[in-house]
Amino acid sequence: MVKSGTIILNTAARFLMPLQLMFSVFLLLRGHDEPGGGFIAGLVAAGAFTLYLFAFGVSATKEVLRMVDPRDLIGAGLFFGMISVVPAWFMGQPFLTAQWWTIPVIDFKASTPLIFDIGVYLAVLGSVMGMVMALMEVDKDEP
Amino acid sequence: MQFAVLMGFVLAASSPLLNRWFGERTSLLLALFPAFLAGWFFSQAPLVLSDGPQLLEWSWVPSLGISLSFLLDGLSLLFGLLITVIGTCVLVYAGGYLKGHQDIARFHLALVAFMASMLGLVLADGLLTLFIFWELTSITSYLLIGFNHTDIEARKSARQGLFVTVAGGLALMAGLVLLGIASGSWSLSEILQSDDDLRQHALYAPMLICLLLGAFTKSAQFPFHFWLPNAMAAPTPVSAYLHSATMVKAGIYLLARLQPELGGTAMWVTILSVVGATTMLTGAFLAIHHTNIKKLLAYSTIMALGTLTMLLGIGSEYAMTAFVTFLLAHSMYKGALFMVAGILDHETGTKDVTAMGGLRSVMPVTAVIAFVAALSLAGVPPLFGFIGKELMLEAALGAERIQLLLVLFAFLAAILTIAVAAIIALRPFYGARHETPQTPHEAPLSMLIGPGLLAFGSLALGLAPAVLGADALLTSAATAVAGETLPVSLSLWYGVNVALIMSVVSLIFGFLLFKRWDSVRAQLARLAPVMRHGPEAGYEGLMNGVVRFSEWQTRLLQNGYMRNYILVMLVVLIALIGNSILLRHSPQLALSLDVRFHEVIVVGTMAMGALFATISRSRLGAVVSVGIMGFSIALIFILFSAPDLGITQLLVETMTVILLVLVLFRLPRFSNLSTNLERIRDGAVAATMGVLIFLLIITAWSIDQFESISTYMVENSAPLAYGRNIVNVILVDYRALDTLGEMFVLALAAIGVIAMLKLRHGETEGKATDSDKASVKEPYDG
C-alpha cells in the first residue's frame, strides 16, 4: 500500500530521522527534570523510524536498524527494567529503591531510574516498531 | 544463600552461551554449581545440628512484610543436600547421556532453572515465596517432560503433568492464603513457633483440604498418580532427578513441613494414611504390569511416595524416624536405578526389560551398580533401604488407626516392590543374550560416576549410619518434622521382631513373584478393560469437556465482529456504572460556567471530530476525525499545563492513526452500511455511555474523600527522588513497580500482535497447517 515516497518525503526523511533520534535521546536524558522521559522518547524514536519506513519501505528500514530485530529491543528493554531493580538489594535497601551516583567529570547524574527509563524507551520503541513493521510486511506481499 | 539460588537462575539463562563456549564440557562446568552448594550445605550442617533452625533473612519489600528469607533446619538441610548432591550426579550423567544432542543447551537451561527453583522451594520461609518456587518447579518440569517436543506423546504428557500439578498449585495457593489468615503470619518459622493451635481454628478443614490437594497432585498420590508414569517421556536424567528424587517429593516436603502445626488430627491421620496406603499399593501393583523399565521405576516411585505420605499420616515417633530414613534411602537408590535404566536404554536402544538379557558380560560395572541399588530398593540387609523398610513396617505395625489395613497394604507392597527390584537387577543382566536394536557397550565413565556414587552411598550408609553422620542429619530432620526433639539412632539389627519376619517372608514371596512374572503379566493383561476406566480416563473426560465448553462459549461470544464486541462491552459498562452511580451517589451539578473562549473552540473541535467520525462513509475519514479528537485532548492537556501528558497524548495519537491507517487501508470500502434501526440502537447506546461518563466525572469531582496525594509528590519529588518532572518521577521511581508491570504488558501485547500478523502472513503463503485452518476466520465487514 505504501508506495515508495515522493522526493520531498524521501529527502525530508533522510534528514529528519537522525534529528528525531537525537531529539529522542535528548528527551530521554532530560526526562527526570523537564518534560520528556522514556515513554515519550520511545514514541519519538518510533516515529522517526516509521517516517523512514514510509519513505523507503521495510527492507531499507531493516538495513538502517542493522541486525537489530525490534523484538530483541523489547527483550533488551525488559532486561534493563529488571536489572535496574537489583542494585538496591546489594545496598541492603528494599527492592526497587532508587540508587544515585554522580559521574564526576561530566557532572552527570547516573541512577537506576535512568536505567529503568532506558528500559522503558527500548520496550516502547521495540513494541511499536515490531507492530508497524509486521503490518508493513504483510502489506508488502499482498497486492 | 539467597544470592546463590538467584545465581542459579542467572546461570540457567546463560547456559546456552556456556554451551557455545565450552561444548561438551558444559555439563561438568554446570555441575560445579550444585557441587558448590552441596559443600555449603555440608558446612552449615554442624551449625544447624547444634544450634537448631537458622533463619537467613533478606528483606525485599519491608513495608509490606515481604521478604526473601530462607529457613534452614533439619528438614530443609536434608532436602537441600538431596537436591544438590543428586543434582551434581545428574548433571555429570546428563553430559554423557545427551552427548552431542543438538538441544542440550535447552536441557541445561531448564534443568539448572529447576534446580534453583527446587532449592528455593525447600528453603523458602515465606508462604508466598514457597508458592512461587513451587509453581516454578511445575513449569520447569513441564519444559523438561516436553523436551522432545517433536514427539506428540511427550507434548501430551508434559501438558498433563502441568495441568495436574498447576491445578493442585491453585488449591495450594488458596490453602497457603488460608494458612496465612488463620495464623496471622506469612512466615513459616513464625507459624511453626507460634503457640496458637491451628488445629482448633475454624478454617482448619478447608485449609487442610486445599493444602492436601496441592501436595497430593504434586507428589502423584492416588488418584492423581497417573501423570507421573507419563512424565517418563522426559530424558532419563530428568526422570532420575525431578520425577523420583526431588520434585515429586515437594508435596511430601510441604506435608512434613506443616505436620508439627497441622498434623495429628483425626482428619489428617485418616486422609494421609488411607491415601498414602492406597497410593503405595496401587503403585506397586501397577508396576508389575509394565515391561518398560522406566514405567516400572515410575510406578515404584509412586509406591514410595505413597509410603512417605502414609508415614506422615501415622505420625508416631517411629513413623517420623521411618519417614526421614525412607526419604533419604529412596532418593539415593531410585536416582541410581533411573540412571541405570538410562544407561540400558542408551546402550541397547530399547526400554523393554524383556528384550534385554545377559548384559552382565558386556556391562559388568552397570550390572553391579544396578544390583546394589536394587538390593536397597528391595530392602535387603546390609543396605540402607533395609533400614528404611524395617522402620516403615514397624511404623505401620504401631499405627493407632486402621492398623490392620496399613500393615496388609505395606506387606503386599513390599512383596511387589521386591519383585520389581529383581526384575530390574536381574532380568536385563542375566539369562540368555537377546538381540537389541544397538550393540551394547559399557557406559562411559561420566554416566557411571553418578549412579555408582548413589548406589554405594546406599551401601555405606547401611553399614555405618552413625559414622557417616546420617544419624545426626536424620535426627535433625526428624526433629523438624515431629516438632519436638526426636533422636534417631539407626542400626541394621533391631533383633528378631514382627517387622523382620515380615521382611523375610516378603522377600521369599517377592522372589517367587519375579520367577513367575511372565505368566503373572499374561494374567494381568486380562484386567486391561477394567484398567482403562482409571483416574486417567477421568482426567481425559474432564479435559475434553473443558475443550467442548470453551468451543461452545467461544462460538457464542467471540463471533469475530468488532461491532458486537464493542456493543456488548458498552452495554455491560452502562449497566454496571449506571447502577453504581444512580444507586450509591447522586451526582450534583454545581458548575461554575467560567469558560474561556479558546476552551470553547477546543471542545467544539473535539465535538465536530466525534460527529464526523460517526457519519463518515470512508474508514480513513473516520480515523482522521477520531485523530482530530485526540489532538484536541492533547491541546487541553497543554492548556491546563500538563506538558508531559500533552506530548504523550500527541505522540500516542500519531502512532494510533499510523497503525490504524496501515490496518484499514487494506480493507475494502464499507460494503454494507448500518440499517436505520441499527443506527438508532448504536446511537442510543453511545449517547447513554456519553451521559454516564459525564455523570461519572461530575461525581468523581464532587467526592473528595481522600486528601490528594499529589501534594506529597510535588513536595518530595526533588528532595527525595532528585527529579523535578513529577510525571517522570512517578513513572520511574514512586510507581516503578507498576511501570515495570506495564512494560511487560506492552511487550506481551506487541508480541501477540506480531505473532498474529505473522500467522496470517503464513496462511496467505499457503503454509497453513491443520491447527491454523481450525482457527476462527475473521470476516471483513463494514
Side-chain angles (χ1 to χ4, degrees), chain B residues 385-413:
Chain B
F386 170 71
I387 306 180
K389 194 177 77 166
E390 257 341 59
L391 288 168
M392 185 269 279
L393 288 172
E394 198 72 57
L397 284 166
E400 282 168 14
R401 286 170 206 244
I402 48 173
Q403 181 217 21
L404 199 63
L405 182 88
L406 298 187
V407 173
L408 182 68
F409 277 24
F411 182 60
L412 290 175

mmCIF file of all heavy atoms in Angstrom, chain B residues 385-413:
data_model
loop_
_atom_site.group_PDB
_atom_site.id
_atom_site.type_symbol
_atom_site.label_atom_id
_atom_site.label_comp_id
_atom_site.label_asym_id
_atom_site.label_seq_id
_atom_site.Cartn_x
_atom_site.Cartn_y
_atom_site.Cartn_z
ATOM 1 N N GLY B 385 18.403 -49.170 52.342
ATOM 2 C CA GLY B 385 16.991 -49.391 52.067
ATOM 3 C C GLY B 385 16.365 -50.370 53.046
ATOM 4 O O GLY B 385 15.170 -50.282 53.356
ATOM 5 N N PHE B 386 17.166 -51.303 53.546
ATOM 6 C CA PHE B 386 16.663 -52.268 54.512
ATOM 7 C C PHE B 386 16.213 -51.563 55.790
ATOM 8 O O PHE B 386 15.126 -51.818 56.325
ATOM 9 C CB PHE B 386 17.765 -53.297 54.818
ATOM 10 C CG PHE B 386 17.448 -54.192 55.980
ATOM 11 C CD1 PHE B 386 16.472 -55.171 55.882
ATOM 12 C CD2 PHE B 386 18.113 -54.034 57.193
ATOM 13 C CE1 PHE B 386 16.179 -55.986 56.957
ATOM 14 C CE2 PHE B 386 17.818 -54.848 58.269
ATOM 15 C CZ PHE B 386 16.847 -55.825 58.154
ATOM 16 N N ILE B 387 17.064 -50.655 56.269
ATOM 17 C CA ILE B 387 16.711 -49.921 57.490
ATOM 18 C C ILE B 387 15.414 -49.164 57.280
ATOM 19 O O ILE B 387 14.503 -49.178 58.105
ATOM 20 C CB ILE B 387 17.846 -48.952 57.888
ATOM 21 C CG1 ILE B 387 19.167 -49.706 57.999
ATOM 22 C CG2 ILE B 387 17.506 -48.237 59.167
ATOM 23 C CD1 ILE B 387 20.326 -48.838 58.395
ATOM 24 N N GLY B 388 15.322 -48.497 56.095
ATOM 25 C CA GLY B 388 14.110 -47.729 55.782
ATOM 26 C C GLY B 388 12.878 -48.611 55.796
ATOM 27 O O GLY B 388 11.854 -48.267 56.375
ATOM 28 N N LYS B 389 12.995 -49.793 55.200
ATOM 29 C CA LYS B 389 11.821 -50.663 55.097
ATOM 30 C C LYS B 389 11.451 -51.234 56.467
ATOM 31 O O LYS B 389 10.270 -51.290 56.822
ATOM 32 C CB LYS B 389 12.090 -51.794 54.110
ATOM 33 C CG LYS B 389 10.816 -52.504 53.708
ATOM 34 C CD LYS B 389 11.044 -53.563 52.687
ATOM 35 C CE LYS B 389 11.642 -54.795 53.340
ATOM 36 N NZ LYS B 389 11.590 -55.965 52.481
ATOM 37 N N GLU B 390 12.450 -51.627 57.213
ATOM 38 C CA GLU B 390 12.216 -52.144 58.568
ATOM 39 C C GLU B 390 11.412 -51.137 59.385
ATOM 40 O O GLU B 390 10.397 -51.468 59.998
ATOM 41 C CB GLU B 390 13.573 -52.312 59.257
ATOM 42 C CG GLU B 390 14.229 -53.637 59.428
ATOM 43 C CD GLU B 390 13.435 -54.887 59.314
ATOM 44 O OE1 GLU B 390 12.826 -55.134 58.253
ATOM 45 O OE2 GLU B 390 13.442 -55.628 60.282
ATOM 46 N N LEU B 391 11.911 -49.890 59.380
ATOM 47 C CA LEU B 391 11.254 -48.841 60.175
ATOM 48 C C LEU B 391 9.839 -48.608 59.677
ATOM 49 O O LEU B 391 8.914 -48.381 60.461
ATOM 50 C CB LEU B 391 12.067 -47.550 60.108
ATOM 51 C CG LEU B 391 13.379 -47.555 60.892
ATOM 52 C CD1 LEU B 391 14.214 -46.359 60.520
ATOM 53 C CD2 LEU B 391 13.097 -47.561 62.387
ATOM 54 N N MET B 392 9.670 -48.672 58.344
ATOM 55 C CA MET B 392 8.349 -48.427 57.769
ATOM 56 C C MET B 392 7.370 -49.496 58.249
ATOM 57 O O MET B 392 6.258 -49.182 58.699
ATOM 58 C CB MET B 392 8.481 -48.431 56.245
ATOM 59 C CG MET B 392 7.242 -48.068 55.479
ATOM 60 S SD MET B 392 6.238 -49.480 55.066
ATOM 61 C CE MET B 392 7.101 -50.085 53.621
ATOM 62 N N LEU B 393 7.783 -50.760 58.202
ATOM 63 C CA LEU B 393 6.893 -51.840 58.648
ATOM 64 C C LEU B 393 6.595 -51.697 60.139
ATOM 65 O O LEU B 393 5.456 -51.868 60.589
ATOM 66 C CB LEU B 393 7.540 -53.200 58.363
ATOM 67 C CG LEU B 393 7.599 -53.606 56.885
ATOM 68 C CD1 LEU B 393 8.430 -54.861 56.699
ATOM 69 C CD2 LEU B 393 6.192 -53.823 56.341
ATOM 70 N N GLU B 394 7.621 -51.340 60.870
ATOM 71 C CA GLU B 394 7.462 -51.142 62.315
ATOM 72 C C GLU B 394 6.434 -50.041 62.586
ATOM 73 O O GLU B 394 5.555 -50.177 63.446
ATOM 74 C CB GLU B 394 8.816 -50.753 62.903
ATOM 75 C CG GLU B 394 8.954 -50.910 64.396
ATOM 76 C CD GLU B 394 9.030 -52.376 64.807
ATOM 77 O OE1 GLU B 394 9.931 -53.105 64.313
ATOM 78 O OE2 GLU B 394 8.180 -52.789 65.600
ATOM 79 N N ALA B 395 6.540 -48.951 61.808
ATOM 80 C CA ALA B 395 5.619 -47.821 61.987
ATOM 81 C C ALA B 395 4.193 -48.242 61.649
ATOM 82 O O ALA B 395 3.238 -47.879 62.346
ATOM 83 C CB ALA B 395 6.045 -46.645 61.119
ATOM 84 N N ALA B 396 4.030 -49.031 60.574
ATOM 85 C CA ALA B 396 2.690 -49.480 60.189
ATOM 86 C C ALA B 396 2.109 -50.367 61.282
ATOM 87 O O ALA B 396 0.922 -50.292 61.617
ATOM 88 C CB ALA B 396 2.741 -50.234 58.863
ATOM 89 N N LEU B 397 2.981 -51.219 61.878
ATOM 90 C CA LEU B 397 2.508 -52.101 62.950
ATOM 91 C C LEU B 397 2.074 -51.296 64.172
ATOM 92 O O LEU B 397 1.184 -51.706 64.916
ATOM 93 C CB LEU B 397 3.621 -53.078 63.354
ATOM 94 C CG LEU B 397 3.861 -54.229 62.372
ATOM 95 C CD1 LEU B 397 5.175 -54.912 62.670
ATOM 96 C CD2 LEU B 397 2.720 -55.226 62.466
ATOM 97 N N GLY B 398 2.703 -50.145 64.353
ATOM 98 C CA GLY B 398 2.394 -49.354 65.545
ATOM 99 C C GLY B 398 1.319 -48.299 65.304
ATOM 100 O O GLY B 398 1.065 -47.470 66.175
ATOM 101 N N ALA B 399 0.696 -48.303 64.119
ATOM 102 C CA ALA B 399 -0.301 -47.277 63.813
ATOM 103 C C ALA B 399 -1.489 -47.384 64.756
ATOM 104 O O ALA B 399 -1.900 -48.485 65.143
ATOM 105 C CB ALA B 399 -0.760 -47.417 62.370
ATOM 106 N N GLU B 400 -2.048 -46.219 65.124
ATOM 107 C CA GLU B 400 -3.159 -46.223 66.067
ATOM 108 C C GLU B 400 -4.484 -46.461 65.371
ATOM 109 O O GLU B 400 -5.408 -47.014 65.953
ATOM 110 C CB GLU B 400 -3.186 -44.903 66.837
ATOM 111 C CG GLU B 400 -2.137 -44.870 67.937
ATOM 112 C CD GLU B 400 -1.965 -43.488 68.500
ATOM 113 O OE1 GLU B 400 -2.835 -42.636 68.231
ATOM 114 O OE2 GLU B 400 -0.958 -43.263 69.193
ATOM 115 N N ARG B 401 -4.616 -45.968 64.149
ATOM 116 C CA ARG B 401 -5.865 -46.170 63.417
ATOM 117 C C ARG B 401 -5.654 -47.107 62.250
ATOM 118 O O ARG B 401 -4.566 -47.134 61.682
ATOM 119 C CB ARG B 401 -6.374 -44.824 62.886
ATOM 120 C CG ARG B 401 -6.952 -43.949 63.963
ATOM 121 C CD ARG B 401 -7.184 -42.576 63.374
ATOM 122 N NE ARG B 401 -7.129 -41.588 64.443
ATOM 123 C CZ ARG B 401 -8.172 -40.846 64.806
ATOM 124 N NH1 ARG B 401 -9.301 -40.949 64.194
ATOM 125 N NH2 ARG B 401 -8.059 -39.976 65.790
ATOM 126 N N ILE B 402 -6.721 -47.768 61.854
ATOM 127 C CA ILE B 402 -6.741 -48.682 60.710
ATOM 128 C C ILE B 402 -5.421 -49.433 60.545
ATOM 129 O O ILE B 402 -4.880 -49.563 59.445
ATOM 130 C CB ILE B 402 -7.125 -47.939 59.407
ATOM 131 C CG1 ILE B 402 -6.299 -46.650 59.252
ATOM 132 C CG2 ILE B 402 -8.615 -47.647 59.360
ATOM 133 C CD1 ILE B 402 -6.516 -45.985 57.902
ATOM 134 N N GLN B 403 -4.925 -49.956 61.647
ATOM 135 C CA GLN B 403 -3.619 -50.599 61.644
ATOM 136 C C GLN B 403 -3.577 -51.810 60.719
ATOM 137 O O GLN B 403 -2.642 -51.977 59.939
ATOM 138 C CB GLN B 403 -3.274 -51.004 63.087
ATOM 139 C CG GLN B 403 -1.920 -51.665 63.222
ATOM 140 C CD GLN B 403 -1.963 -52.766 64.259
ATOM 141 O OE1 GLN B 403 -3.036 -53.284 64.579
ATOM 142 N NE2 GLN B 403 -0.816 -53.109 64.803
ATOM 143 N N LEU B 404 -4.653 -52.619 60.770
ATOM 144 C CA LEU B 404 -4.663 -53.867 60.018
ATOM 145 C C LEU B 404 -4.523 -53.589 58.512
ATOM 146 O O LEU B 404 -3.729 -54.198 57.810
ATOM 147 C CB LEU B 404 -5.966 -54.613 60.294
ATOM 148 C CG LEU B 404 -5.919 -56.103 59.954
ATOM 149 C CD1 LEU B 404 -4.898 -56.825 60.816
ATOM 150 C CD2 LEU B 404 -7.315 -56.718 60.132
ATOM 151 N N LEU B 405 -5.306 -52.605 58.047
ATOM 152 C CA LEU B 405 -5.280 -52.235 56.635
ATOM 153 C C LEU B 405 -3.882 -51.782 56.216
ATOM 154 O O LEU B 405 -3.342 -52.212 55.191
ATOM 155 C CB LEU B 405 -6.293 -51.111 56.391
ATOM 156 C CG LEU B 405 -6.422 -50.647 54.951
ATOM 157 C CD1 LEU B 405 -7.445 -51.485 54.227
ATOM 158 C CD2 LEU B 405 -6.819 -49.183 54.898
ATOM 159 N N LEU B 406 -3.293 -50.913 57.037
ATOM 160 C CA LEU B 406 -1.984 -50.370 56.695
ATOM 161 C C LEU B 406 -0.940 -51.474 56.639
ATOM 162 O O LEU B 406 -0.115 -51.520 55.725
ATOM 163 C CB LEU B 406 -1.553 -49.302 57.711
ATOM 164 C CG LEU B 406 -2.437 -48.062 57.815
ATOM 165 C CD1 LEU B 406 -1.782 -47.039 58.728
ATOM 166 C CD2 LEU B 406 -2.686 -47.450 56.454
ATOM 167 N N VAL B 407 -0.976 -52.384 57.604
ATOM 168 C CA VAL B 407 0.027 -53.452 57.630
ATOM 169 C C VAL B 407 -0.144 -54.350 56.414
ATOM 170 O O VAL B 407 0.830 -54.698 55.734
ATOM 171 C CB VAL B 407 -0.093 -54.259 58.939
ATOM 172 C CG1 VAL B 407 0.825 -55.478 58.894
ATOM 173 C CG2 VAL B 407 0.251 -53.382 60.121
ATOM 174 N N LEU B 408 -1.393 -54.674 56.112
ATOM 175 C CA LEU B 408 -1.659 -55.544 54.964
ATOM 176 C C LEU B 408 -1.150 -54.897 53.672
ATOM 177 O O LEU B 408 -0.434 -55.507 52.871
ATOM 178 C CB LEU B 408 -3.165 -55.816 54.854
ATOM 179 C CG LEU B 408 -3.563 -56.758 53.722
ATOM 180 C CD1 LEU B 408 -3.066 -58.168 53.998
ATOM 181 C CD2 LEU B 408 -5.070 -56.754 53.520
ATOM 182 N N PHE B 409 -1.512 -53.624 53.493
ATOM 183 C CA PHE B 409 -1.084 -52.906 52.296
ATOM 184 C C PHE B 409 0.435 -52.829 52.224
ATOM 185 O O PHE B 409 1.034 -53.031 51.168
ATOM 186 C CB PHE B 409 -1.680 -51.485 52.271
ATOM 187 C CG PHE B 409 -3.078 -51.429 51.728
ATOM 188 C CD1 PHE B 409 -3.906 -52.540 51.761
ATOM 189 C CD2 PHE B 409 -3.584 -50.259 51.173
ATOM 190 C CE1 PHE B 409 -5.190 -52.494 51.265
ATOM 191 C CE2 PHE B 409 -4.864 -50.200 50.666
ATOM 192 C CZ PHE B 409 -5.676 -51.317 50.717
ATOM 193 N N ALA B 410 1.064 -52.528 53.360
ATOM 194 C CA ALA B 410 2.524 -52.385 53.380
ATOM 195 C C ALA B 410 3.180 -53.707 53.020
ATOM 196 O O ALA B 410 4.163 -53.754 52.272
ATOM 197 C CB ALA B 410 2.983 -51.917 54.753
ATOM 198 N N PHE B 411 2.615 -54.787 53.535
ATOM 199 C CA PHE B 411 3.181 -56.117 53.286
ATOM 200 C C PHE B 411 3.071 -56.461 51.799
ATOM 201 O O PHE B 411 4.056 -56.877 51.165
ATOM 202 C CB PHE B 411 2.440 -57.132 54.152
ATOM 203 C CG PHE B 411 2.962 -58.531 54.013
ATOM 204 C CD1 PHE B 411 4.286 -58.837 54.333
ATOM 205 C CD2 PHE B 411 2.140 -59.549 53.563
ATOM 206 C CE1 PHE B 411 4.767 -60.117 54.207
ATOM 207 C CE2 PHE B 411 2.627 -60.845 53.423
ATOM 208 C CZ PHE B 411 3.933 -61.130 53.741
ATOM 209 N N LEU B 412 1.867 -56.275 51.237
ATOM 210 C CA LEU B 412 1.674 -56.559 49.813
ATOM 211 C C LEU B 412 2.591 -55.701 48.950
ATOM 212 O O LEU B 412 3.227 -56.176 48.000
ATOM 213 C CB LEU B 412 0.209 -56.314 49.417
ATOM 214 C CG LEU B 412 -0.808 -57.312 49.970
ATOM 215 C CD1 LEU B 412 -2.221 -56.885 49.617
ATOM 216 C CD2 LEU B 412 -0.522 -58.703 49.422
ATOM 217 N N ALA B 413 2.667 -54.419 49.286
ATOM 218 C CA ALA B 413 3.518 -53.501 48.510
ATOM 219 C C ALA B 413 4.969 -53.952 48.589
ATOM 220 O O ALA B 413 5.713 -53.874 47.605
ATOM 221 C CB ALA B 413 3.360 -52.076 49.018
#
